[in-house]
């Protein structure tokens, strides 16, 4: 069946959305309206408002849509594999932009940008992921590696493997980051014990663990702030 041409009122709607974006910025638009603007490019000759609203209803918000697996995205009426792949591009772009704000910069002076980067990468992940940020002697971020992936509530982590990677990067300090897909950022006892074990393993190599961040959907917990480091 041929794709129907967008009628004039739809074209006018698209123009009005673009004008609002240009004049007032993204904050002036709802999540589904921003998604509409993106879908205009992926599906140029179709009314995409119902698709945008269905995606937000299914996945909660833009972050949920951008990180949803392709096999779940295509279950939404009107979303094919091509559109699903292009939706995943949103997350890739967001992570790249956030990464550019922190790479090579001292983490102390760009801490809020670092938190934004970590949250962008992990806030909406549906399974647990353990990342390590490697810092040089000036506390500049030199690398970010995923060293553990797992289930919804567990990602295997091996302290000696982390130290091995730190030595390979000639890192002087580390920031540990992992997510809690359950939505509760409270560190678990296993998180606490693993962090203590890693700190002990790092000590002979003069590698400092600056912090361990736990990312949840709505908030972030810091071991340092909580007095656990």
């Amino acid at each position: 069946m041929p794709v129907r041409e967008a009628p004039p009122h739809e074209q006018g709607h698209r123009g009005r959305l673009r004008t609002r974006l240009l004049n007032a910025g993204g904050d002036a638009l709802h999540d589904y309206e921003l998604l509409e603007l993106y879908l205009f490019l992926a599906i140029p000759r179709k009314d995409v408002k119902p698709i945008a609203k269905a995606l937000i209803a299914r996945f909660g918000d833009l972050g949920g849509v951008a990180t949803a697996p392709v096999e779940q995205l295509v279950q939404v009426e009107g979303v094919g594999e091509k559109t699903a792949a292009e939706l995943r591009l949103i997350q890739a772009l967001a992570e790249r932009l956030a990464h550019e704000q922190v790479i090579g910069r001292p983490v102390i002076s760009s801490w809020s940008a670092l938190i934004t980067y970590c949250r962008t990468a992990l806030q909406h992940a549906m399974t647990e992921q353990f990342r390590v940020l490697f810092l040089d002697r000036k506390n500049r971020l030199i690398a970010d590696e995923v060293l553990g992936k797992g289930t919804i509530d567990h990602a295997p982590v091996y302290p000696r493997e982390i130290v091995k990677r730190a030595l390979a990067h000639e890192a002087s300090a580390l920031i540990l980051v992992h997510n809690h897909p359950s939505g509760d950022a409270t560190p678990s006892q296993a998180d606490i014990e693993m962090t203590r074990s890693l700190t002990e393993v790092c000590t002979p190599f003069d590698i400092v663990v600056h912090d361990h961040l736990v990312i949840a959907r709505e908030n972030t917990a810091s071991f340092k702030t909580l007095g656990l480091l």
Side-chain angles (χ1 to χ4, degrees), residues 30-223:
H30 296 291
D31 278 5
Y32 78 86
E33 291 176 320
L34 287 171
L35 193 52
E36 272 190 86
L37 282 170
Y38 188 82
L39 289 171
F40 291 161
L41 304 176
I43 313 174
R45 291 178 295 277
K46 187 174 182 179
D47 179 9
V48 295
K49 181 186 284 187
I51 300 173
K53 286 190 170 183
L55 285 165
I56 296 297
R58 171 72 183 273
F59 300 108
D61 56 23
L62 278 174
V65 173
T67 55
V70 169
E71 58 268 23
Q72 293 185 21
L73 288 168
V74 296
Q75 292 174 7
V76 176
E77 185 176 355
V79 178
E81 288 191 4
K82 176 178 178 293
T83 301
E86 291 179 348
L87 287 170
R88 294 303 305 271
L89 179 61
I90 298 173
Q91 178 67 11
L93 289 170
E95 286 191 35
R96 183 66 59 86
L97 290 170
H99 184 259
E100 289 176 355
Q101 298 301 310
V102 295
I103 190 68
R105 302 184 183 186
V107 297
I108 302 303
S109 61
S110 56
W111 189 253
S112 65
L114 182 73
I115 295 295
T116 297
Y117 168 61
C118 293
R119 290 192 60 77
T120 299
L122 293 173
Q123 178 181 8
H124 294 279
M126 291 184 288
T127 57
E128 193 165 304
Q129 185 182 120
F130 191 96
R131 304 173 82 124
V132 180
L133 310 183
F134 299 94
L135 312 178
D136 65 14
R137 294 187 181 279
K138 295 183 178 180
N139 284 324
R140 294 176 299 197
L141 179 64
I142 54 177
D144 167 20
E145 293 186 1
V146 177
L147 295 183
K149 288 185 176 181
T151 62
I152 193 169
D153 60 0
H154 177 69
V157 181
Y158 304 100
R160 293 188 182 279
E161 180 62 24
I162 294 174
V163 172
K164 180 180 177 181
R165 296 303 303 149
L167 293 173
H169 286 297
E170 298 183 352
S172 298
L174 311 173
I175 295 176
L176 315 177
V177 189
H178 82 281
N179 63 308
H180 280 181
S182 66
D184 182 2
T186 304
S188 68
Q189 188 59 38
D191 295 336
I192 296 170
E193 292 174 359
M194 184 282 299
T195 304
R196 288 173 178 168
S197 175
L198 175 60
T199 301
E200 292 174 0
V201 174
C202 285
T203 298
F205 299 96
D206 292 326
I207 299 172
V208 178
V209 179
H210 278 325
D211 206 344
H212 185 165
L213 303 175
V214 184
I215 310 294
R217 186 69 174 264
E218 301 296 336
N219 60 344
T220 301
S222 158
F223 272 49

